[in-house]
Structures are given as C-alpha cells and as structure tokens.
C-alpha cells in the first residue's frame, strides 16, 4: 500500500484482533532487511489484512461465514506497533474468523466472493456500523462447507438508464 510517510496503519489478525499505529514508528530499512513487528500474534493466528486508516474512515471487517460490520476509526486508539491489538470483532463459531480488513469511507461498493464461486456486490450503506467487540451482521449466506474467500472494496457502480427504468 502506498503511504505518505505520516499515515496511521491498521493490521488485523484472523482471530479478531487489530492494532493501529503511526507509520513513523516503522523505521526506514534497506531492501534486504526483515522488517519490524507490526502485530504480535497468538500461536496459529495469522495476519489477514492491513490498511491506511484516515481519521474519517471506517474499519470494515468480513468473516469467513459471511458476517461483517463497519466500525468508526475513532474506536481504534493509536498504539505502538508490535502489540497484540484490540478486539475488532467477536470471532465465534457462528461467524468464523476474519478473512478481510479494509478502511472504507462509506461511498463504495463491497464485492464478496465465496470459495464456491458465488459473488455479490452491495453498497457500503447496507453494511451495519457497530462497535468493535460485536459479531457483525450477515452480508452473504454461505453454505456450511463453504466460506468467504475474497473481499474487495470497489467504486460505486454507476446507474445505467436500464437500472433507472427497472426501478420505476
């Protein structure tokens, strides 16, 4: 992700934790350097997403069983990098682990694709805004043997004349 050098970064793990820190806390290094720790992970956990976080953005999280939510960026205090983070969603048996984290501003569309090839596109206004430690709401119905495999935030679809005539 292209950054300005003075942005806030947010990183999330699949177990439901996210840490937000200032980009200036990451020192410059050479190309062959191994880097610095962004988030401390539990055994078996892994990073599923990172994004540049603006002050007016919302943090969108989507889980493997099709649940998701938006949370205002203001609920994620800026901490030091390398911490365990704060709970960003209650990852339970009902909603599954996080598969994606994105910073959104609310005027985009959300594409969700399952591993069996089902894809939906929905306006970001339909994704509920909720607090950090909640489970989210169902965004797509996923069969028991399948899960969400990919999530992408895209520009809002332009309405065509055909769409307008269908609405009337």
């Amino acid at each position: 992700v292209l950054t300005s050098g003075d942005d806030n970064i947010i990183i999330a793990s699949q177990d439901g934790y996210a840490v937000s820190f200032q980009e200036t806390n990451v020192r410059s290094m050479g190309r062959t350097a191994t880097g610095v720790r962004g988030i401390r992970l539990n055994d078996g956990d892994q990073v599923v997403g990172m994004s540049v976080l603006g002050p007016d953005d919302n943090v969108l999280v989507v889980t493997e069983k099709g649940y998701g939510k938006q949370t205002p960026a203001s609920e994620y205090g800026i901490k030091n990098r390398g911490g365990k983070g704060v709970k960003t969603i209650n990852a339970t048996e009902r909603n599954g682990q996080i598969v994606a984290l994105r910073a959104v501003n609310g005027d985009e569309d959300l594409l969700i694709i399952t591993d069996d090839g089902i894809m939906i596109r929905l306006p970001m206004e339909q994704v509920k805004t909720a607090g950090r430690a909640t489970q989210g709401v169902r965004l797509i119905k996923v069969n028991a043997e399948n899960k969400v495999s990919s999530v992408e935030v895209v520009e809002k679809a332009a309405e065509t004349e055909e769409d307008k005539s269908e609405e009337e």
Side-chain angles (χ1 to χ4, degrees):
V1 173
L2 186 61
T3 63
S4 69
D6 197 34
D7 290 319
N8 291 333
I9 307 294
I10 188 164
I11 300 175
S13 74
Q14 70 181 6
D15 284 347
Y17 290 90
V19 64
S20 180
F21 57 90
Q22 292 179 332
E23 181 182 2
T24 55
N25 289 342
V26 180
R27 62 187 173 274
S28 294
M29 297 179 195
R31 185 178 50 84
T32 59
T34 58
V36 294
R37 183 185 306 267
I39 186 171
R40 187 170 304 279
L41 299 171
N42 294 325
D43 290 338
D45 199 2
Q46 59 186 349
V47 170
V48 293
M50 68 79 55
S51 194
V52 175
L53 191 59
D56 297 327
D57 286 345
N58 284 340
V59 176
L60 169 76
V61 290
V62 179
T63 66
E64 64 187 359
K65 294 189 179 177
Y67 288 80
K69 65 177 180 142
Q70 299 183 65
T71 303
S74 59
E75 291 198 27
Y76 294 88
I78 305 301
K79 307 288 183 187
N80 288 325
R81 63 169 181 75
K84 183 177 178 178
V86 294
K87 187 168 271 205
T88 190
I89 195 168
N90 261 346
T92 64
E93 189 66 32
R94 175 184 150 242
N95 62 355
Q97 295 180 314
I98 294 178
V99 294
L101 170 132
R102 304 282 190 275
V104 297
N105 58 27
D107 62 350
E108 309 98 342
D109 283 351
L110 179 62
L111 281 178
I112 303 174
I113 305 169
T114 64
D115 58 2
D116 64 337
I118 305 297
M119 180 173 73
I120 65 163
R121 182 177 190 145
L122 60 131
M124 200 59 69
E125 300 91 44
Q126 291 183 7
V127 180
K128 182 181 177 185
T129 301
R132 282 188 304 104
T134 58
Q135 289 187 351
V137 295
R138 180 172 289 179
L139 302 176
I140 184 172
K141 189 168 185 157
V142 180
N143 297 337
E145 63 275 355
N146 296 320
K147 59 184 177 181
V148 172
S149 61
S150 183
V151 174
E152 200 55 53
V153 176
V154 296
E155 288 185 24
K156 188 166 278 309
E159 277 193 47
T160 63
E161 290 299 320
E162 186 177 307
D163 292 337
K164 290 178 184 176
S165 64
E166 285 177 7
E167 289 177 8
E168 292 172 358

